[in-house]
Amino acid sequence: VDLTLRGYGCNIYRDDEVAQSLHEEKHLMLWMSNEQENLLLDRYDGRLLLDDLNPLLKKLGAVAVDPAAEEEERMLDEERFKDLPKEHGGFFEAKVEQEEEEASR
């Protein structure tokens, strides 16, 4: 087995103004100038190519979802993530707890 490792030097420059601008999210812009949705995106974000926000809103819970499809998705998630280690909390258990918390609100 042959292992080759390459590294390149780089310079890191501190720019407090740029850091503050990023922190304040001044580099983001509204998706299709739609102020109602208030969806801010970076100019390189692939979502800017979308004409329809429904796939994004579904994940945010803003679009009505068929209960049968929702149950199927829950079962699929359980199957997908059941092998995650329990000592790390497991993804599925955390997701169920989050959904239960949201439902109780």
Side-chain angles (χ1 to χ4, degrees):
V1 177
D2 190 22
L3 176 67
T4 304
L5 180 67
R6 290 190 180 144
Y8 298 94
C10 68
N11 294 323
I12 299 175
Y13 300 98
R14 180 181 174 137
D15 191 340
D16 292 334
E17 291 177 22
V18 172
Q20 185 64 31
S21 174
L22 291 171
H23 180 71
E24 294 172 358
E25 299 181 342
K26 291 181 179 178
H27 65 291
L28 301 178
M29 57 187 177
L30 287 171
W31 179 78
M32 296 185 74
S33 301
N34 188 350
E35 293 183 21
Q36 292 176 341
E37 300 298 333
N38 196 25
L39 180 61
L40 296 172
L41 302 173
D42 184 272
R43 67 180 179 172
Y44 300 112
D45 196 315
R47 293 176 288 179
L48 288 172
L49 301 173
L50 296 176
D51 293 332
D52 183 17
L53 274 181
N54 282 335
L56 298 176
L57 296 176
K58 181 179 178 184
K59 291 191 181 227
L60 298 174
V63 174
V65 179
D66 179 30
E70 192 172 285
E71 177 63 21
E72 181 180 0
E73 185 66 28
R74 190 195 66 73
M75 289 171 45
L76 289 171
D77 279 347
E78 183 176 357
E79 185 66 28
R80 285 181 191 119
F81 303 111
K82 72 178 180 182
D83 292 332
L84 288 179
K86 302 290 187 222
E87 64 269 7
H88 297 298
F91 175 81
F92 182 71
E93 287 80 10
K95 186 174 181 182
V96 168
E97 289 174 8
Q98 180 183 9
E99 288 174 355
E100 289 173 353
E101 183 179 306
E102 289 174 1
S104 67
R105 290 183 191 174

